[in-house]
Amino acid sequence: MLHYEVFESSCDTDRYIVLLHGFGGNNRVWKNQISLLQKKFNVLAITLPSHGDSELKLSKMGSTLDVVVGEITQVLDERGIQRAVFMGVSLGTIFIKYMEMRCGSYIDKAILVGALGTVGKPLRRAVNVFAKIGDKLPFPVVYRIMAKLFMPWKVSKTSRKVFCKCAKALNSQEFKAYMNIFIEHFSLCDEFVSRLHEENVYISGRGDLCFINGIVEEADLTDAELIIIEHCGHVCNIDQSRQFNDIISELLDIE
């Protein structure tokens, strides 16, 4: 089973919010949000395969969205969680959107932070190349390049540092396996936007150059709410943590 941590609410509640981190990350990326969320929810922070303390390796499981989501729902069933609020960042949003398409009964509301939507041909080609030769590349160099590509701005300095530190738990084989997850996700974007997802709230940084255009389009097509944070990059909850926390406090009615 996937590794997970539970942070019990400071109030008497049976409500849960489920957190899914991004590629190369772990549950440390939520350190500025967990105490806030505990005011209203029990917090379930799940570690994705190949990351952090997870003993499950994506390359050994079969690198498909269905397999990973099956592991996520197994954790939910283990905890007796039938329905919850979900919040994911970057890679984590991919699994939430897949759950909405295949097992949406688990999701009450979804907050998609630095979400991945449709992308242009250059990035798709790069992912296809990495899926073929990713296990032959020096991974420490690769994740530093990725950090600079996805988080280029000065405001994202802390996000890059957290990513590079957490990503050391990965290796080139797991990196290659995750490229197949991204490819599958891109192939399902048209299916996702063919339905309304009014339960979704996108929170993206104006400076998230790789993904912002696709997310603006995706939010419009699915009738979801879109919140754009100025002077912010890809990982909004770290880049502008105070403003981000103000936003989710209002969204989730946390006093």
Side-chain angles (χ1 to χ4, degrees):
M1 183 177 292
L2 291 173
H3 179 267
Y4 63 87
E5 296 178 86
V6 177
F7 304 88
E8 294 186 356
S9 177
S10 54
C11 66
D12 184 19
T13 182
D14 58 358
R15 296 191 68 191
Y16 274 85
I17 183 167
V18 180
L19 305 180
L20 297 176
H21 61 77
F23 180 59
N26 59 37
N27 293 333
R28 283 188 59 221
V29 303
W30 303 112
K31 69 176 184 178
N32 294 322
Q33 284 76 51
I34 287 176
S35 60
L36 171 64
L37 295 170
Q38 283 179 288
K39 293 180 180 180
K40 186 167 183 176
F41 300 92
N42 298 305
V43 181
L44 174 63
I46 296 177
T47 303
L48 295 172
S50 311
H51 291 74
D53 295 322
S54 177
E55 295 182 358
L56 295 178
K57 302 301 180 185
L58 186 67
S59 62
K60 305 297 184 184
M61 297 164 55
S63 49
T64 67
L65 286 166
D66 197 59
V67 167
V68 178
V69 165
E71 292 292 338
I72 293 170
T73 56
Q74 185 178 348
V75 172
L76 300 177
D77 294 342
E78 168 85 4
R79 299 294 308 181
I81 301 171
Q82 297 180 343
R83 193 167 177 83
V85 175
F86 280 72
M87 183 160 68
V89 61
S90 193
L91 171 69
T93 68
I94 289 178
F95 300 115
I96 294 173
K97 291 196 293 182
Y98 188 78
M99 288 182 69
E100 288 180 311
M101 289 191 286
R102 299 293 185 265
C103 48
S105 62
Y106 284 101
I107 299 177
D108 179 32
K109 186 182 190 72
I111 301 174
L112 307 171
V113 185
L116 307 187
T118 56
V119 296
K121 290 182 180 179
L123 187 54
R124 288 198 184 207
R125 291 193 189 104
V127 170
N128 284 326
V129 170
F130 284 141
K132 293 177 181 177
I133 65 170
D135 58 344
K136 298 176 177 62
L137 300 173
F139 187 63
V141 175
V142 171
Y143 70 64
R144 290 185 183 279
I145 293 173
M146 288 185 66
K148 196 65 177 178
L149 177 64
F150 294 146
M151 298 168 273
W153 308 114
K154 185 176 180 180
V155 72
S156 299
K157 181 178 179 180
T158 300
S159 298
R160 287 196 301 272
K161 185 177 179 180
V162 170
F163 171 79
C164 288
K165 186 172 183 178
C166 295
K168 291 178 181 179
L170 290 171
N171 58 40
S172 56
Q173 188 176 16
E174 302 310 313
F175 171 77
K176 179 180 178 180
Y178 266 103
M179 292 304 103
N180 291 319
I181 293 288
F182 289 118
I183 290 172
E184 185 181 2
H185 163 68
F186 295 148
S187 73
L188 292 171
C189 284
D190 287 344
E191 179 184 347
F192 184 78
V193 300
S194 69
R195 309 176 192 178
L196 297 182
H197 295 281
E198 297 170 319
E199 72 279 13
N200 288 354
V201 180
Y202 292 87
I203 306 177
S204 293
R206 181 75 68 184
D208 190 2
L209 299 183
C210 287
F211 303 108
I212 187 65
N213 290 337
I215 289 309
V216 170
E217 180 182 7
E218 184 170 291
D220 180 57
L221 290 172
T222 59
D223 206 20
E225 183 177 355
L226 171 64
I227 300 170
I228 297 179
I229 302 177
E230 302 295 337
H231 311 295
C232 184
H234 183 55
V235 188
C236 310
N237 62 306
I238 295 179
D239 286 358
Q240 296 288 359
S241 59
R242 290 184 181 179
Q243 188 175 353
F244 180 86
N245 284 1
D246 288 343
I247 290 169
I248 62 173
S249 292
E250 184 174 349
L251 286 173
L252 298 173
D253 194 25
I254 300 174
E255 299 179 356

